[in-house]
Structures are given as C-alpha cells and as structure tokens.
Amino acid sequence: MKSQKLFSLILTLCVLLQLTGCVTGKKVIYTGTDFDPLIDQMFLDEVKNDSVTLNYTLARPENYGIKEFTPTLGSYSQKNMKRGHKAAKQYIKKLEQFDYDTLSTEQKKNYDIILKYLKEQAHSDKLNLYNEVLSPTTGLQAQLPVLLAEFHFLDKKDIENYISCLNQMKDYYSQIIAFEKEKSKAGLFMSDTSANAIISQCKDFIKNPEENFLITLFNHRMDSYTALSETEKQTYKQQNKEAVLQSVIPAYQLLIKELTNLKGTGKNNGGLCHFKHGKEYYKYLVKTNTGSDRPIKAIDTLLDETISDCLKNIGVIISADPDMQTKLDQYYYPLTDPEEILSYLQRAIEVDFPKLKEVNCMVKTVDKSLEEHISPAFYLTPQLDNCKNNCIYINKSKKYDLSQIFPTIAHEGYPGHLYQNCYYSQKNAKPIRYLLNFDGYSEGWATYVEMYSYSIAGLDDAVAKVLAYNQIATLCIYAKCDININYYGWDLNTTTSYLKTFGFTDKNISKQIHESMIEEPCNYLKYTLGYLELTALKKKAKEKLGDKFSALAFHQFVLDMGPCQFKVLEKYMDKWIKEQI
C-alpha cells in the first residue's frame, strides 16, 4: 500500500492562465508553446491548496516560484468540491481548444492523461455527498497522524508551518463533521459498524495524550536537529505539545463525540448499490481508482476467469509433485529482516528492471496507538525534488506474520512503490504528473512486482509459483466480493456462501471481509484490476513482439510512461511495439 498525499486531487483552480493563441472563426486554438505554461500553473495552484501536500511534494518550493504561503490544512466541504468541479470543467474546455498536432510527443502524453483525468473527475459533480473521507483503514483520521509524523523539516519555517497545521486540526475536523452531518441528512451516512471501527481507532490514538507519539516523536526529532539552539528546541517542543493537547486531541475527541451522535442515522448496512445513486458512484470509483475502462460486468468475468486459471495451475503443480503439500507446509523465506530484504532486492532485480540512481530508505515501525488500524506495511512517497530520502513503515502488530514479509517489502520497496516512484522522479517529468493520483497504475505495478518477487525469494520454484497463484486468486476473490457487494448487492449470507466455496469456512472471517468491502469500496480492486490490466498489456506485448520481447524493455516502457490510465498506457505501448519491430 502506498500512502497517498493528504487529499485526492480534485482541481480547485479558479484562475485560468492567460494563454496566447490565434483565432479561427470564433474558436481560440492554442498550440504547443502554450501547453507547458498551462500545466505548470495547474501544478502551482494545486500544490498550494494545503501545507501537507506542499510539504510532501516539494522540498524547496521557492525553486518553483512559491515564496509566500500561508500554512493551512485546506478545506473540506461540498461547496469547495463544487468549486473544484467547476474549475475542472473550465480546464477541460481550455484543453479542448488546443491544436493537438502542434504538441510534442511528451506533451501529447501529458495532454491525454490530464484531459482524461479531468473528465473523469468532473463526472462526479452531482455525487459529492457520496464521498467518504473517514474509513477504518484508509481514512483521513488513520492516515493523517502518520503523514504529520513524517512532515519534512528542512528549516525552521517548516517546523513553524507544521505546528500551525496542528493548531488547525480541530477546525479542519469540524468541517469533516459538518460534511458527515450533511451525509446523514441525505440518508448517506455510514453504517454503525463503520462508525464504531473509526471511533475505536480514534480512542486508541488519543488513549495517552501526554505520551501521544506526535509529542514523543517530535521531541526526538528536535533533539537530533543540529541547526537549532537548545532554547529554540525547547520552545518548539513546548509549542508542539500545546498544539497536540489543545487541538489534535480535541479534534479526535470531536470525531468520537459527533460520530457517536450520528450513529443510527445510517440507512444502509450493505454495499453502495443500496443507495439511490450508489451504482453510479461505484462505477465512478472503479474508473478513477483503477484507471481501467472495463465495464463492471467485464471486470467480474475477468476475475472469475483469473481465479479459475490460478486454481487450475495450482492443481497441476501439486499433482506433479506428491511432496508438494509437505513443501507448502514447511517452506520459509531465507530473509525476514526488512532492511536485509531491501538490500537483497536491489541487487536481485538488476536483470529485469532498469537501473535506479542510488536512494536511501529508512525502515520505521508503526506506533502502537495505530497498529490495529493500519496496513501491515506502507511506503510514503518522497518529495519530487528530494527523492533520495524514502521511508517504509512496518506494522509489528501480532496479527501480522513478519516472517512472511518478503513479498510485502518487494511491494513497498524494490521493485515496488519506492523503486517506481523514485525512477519516475528521476525522469524530471512535468510537476503536475506527480500530483495526479493513479492508484490502479501504482498499486497494479506494486502487486505485479510482488508476484515477481516470489521467483527471486530463495524458495523452491514450484512452491514460489503456488504461492504467487494463490495470492492472485485471493486478491481476485476479494475483488469479486467488492464488486458483488457494492454493485450487485450481495448480503452477508451470499458473501459467506461464495467464500465457503474457496475454503473460507470461518464465518467471522467472512463477516470481516464483507464489512471491509462496505467500509472501503473499491480498495481491493485498485490492486487486483491494476495488476490484471498490467499483465494483459504484457501478454499483448509478448504476442506482438515474439522473440524480440524483453522483460527489461517492457518494464522500462511502463516506468517511463509513469502513472496514468491503462487506456493511455496501451495507446503508447502500441506505438512502442511498432518501434521494437
């Protein structure tokens, strides 16, 4: 799981860049010389929307013309969303007035990606109240503390901006509560199960206010900050502590109180399709979260076919080796230490993946107050002008088996998120490309290389293949539940019956899976469908190129393209294939 920037990007640009152009009749036509200034301004306006996004995106904003910036967490309201949709539509209109033939090859790629992105975002303008920023695992209340803990301190101004953001937490969470109340009035509030899970997470986070990790970690960071005097360190420590105790803790207390009051107002304990426009919203989520243009029915069929193929392949392997079950019961990964795994993977992927300039990575541990509600591991994206410094968090909760962490480290590190993000950062692409969220591409890539990692993990070859097929099948089963619960309306009994056919006989596990799909709709699909789209493109490239196909060249093409929609990726892959022949 790659931890995203604080907010998903819905462009909130209100002032369109003044472009030079020629007039043909009544239609203004812009050319390639106008394009880069436009998308650069889009980046500048968007990156300044909140301080966390700015801090996580740029180490030196002044190098991009950002010299004065008021610290803010941004705003979260239906009014702001509508303003964003309006601005997106204005940009669509502006982009459609460009003379496409005057754009360079790189500009055409950016144009295709950005225009398609804006059109998909603008499509949800009447579904704003279906948005949900709070959820048990990927919700803001779970992600924000980690993002704040990793706020980059390059100078004193960064420290002061950080403390200012902490002091705005209660006000920002008040905006979220106001939005949740609007959802409640419209009959769109979450189920009590989801509310209880979020409330529990909030309580765990603020259990020991004086020892909250935003205090203890900040103090540790100040002690190691050599550019500050002792007096300055003590001053900042005190300011941070006051901000946590007087704003952050009250913000979470507010969430607990107001979500408790709203419990019982949720009209739906099932998937999104049980809401009036739930199916429409789910289709929007699938398209934007996965980057795939496949219809829901086609995705459902693809999942069935993949599950069948995986189980068939597992059966063939097991039937060919009478000792296979024993091997599966007794296998172990030679490497289990995260840092050793990262070092090994850097060397092991050199044959099939393009070289990456040297970067650093710190492996950190999730704070105990967040263990029960955070993924087993996640990677934090680096600043685009400081991609050398990277961070992977490991969750040491007892519910996760760290002896099995090898493929997870491949997913988060090499050749997964860390490698993919740093590789693209080193391409010096246009800054706006680093702000657009394409989870289907990024999680699809990370899942794809996770499956690859089984083959280089030091396991028996047949065991490695079985484990990879099993993981793919499991992801597809979860994704199948996601679609059928949220789009076709499966209830718990139907979900339980389906899972039982694959050996999920524990009713509690079936219940957890069912609830997870309701709480985090489309979450599993971005991993699963992203992976399937990428493997489909690889299969197509292999068929077209035959003996000329190279895994290294294919991987380099995908990485050079950078995060984008799969339809755009395929368009340019077709051109790439012709160049290889």
Side-chain angles (χ1 to χ4, degrees), residues 153-164 166-167 214-223 225-245:
F153 295 156
L154 297 184
D155 52 37
K156 289 193 287 188
K157 190 65 176 176
D158 287 334
I159 299 172
E160 291 163 3
N161 287 346
Y162 166 80
I163 293 172
S164 178
L166 293 189
N167 282 316
L214 289 179
I215 296 176
T216 57
L217 180 60
F218 183 88
N219 290 346
H220 176 72
R221 294 181 72 184
M222 289 299 98
D223 288 338
Y225 205 114
T226 57
L228 297 174
S229 68
E230 285 303 312
T231 300
E232 288 173 323
K233 289 179 182 180
Q234 292 306 315
T235 299
Y236 285 136
K237 284 181 181 181
Q238 184 59 33
Q239 289 177 352
N240 176 71
K241 184 175 182 178
E242 290 175 358
V244 172
L245 295 179

Side-chain angles (χ1 to χ4, degrees), residues 333 335-338 341 365 376-377 393-409:
Y333 289 96
L335 295 176
T336 58
D337 179 79
I341 294 171
T365 303
Y393 268 88
I394 305 296
N395 189 342
K396 293 189 176 181
S397 169
K398 292 180 180 178
K399 65 182 180 180
Y400 298 124
D401 184 359
L402 295 185
S403 70
Q404 303 286 310
I405 204 170
F406 185 95
T408 303
I409 295 298

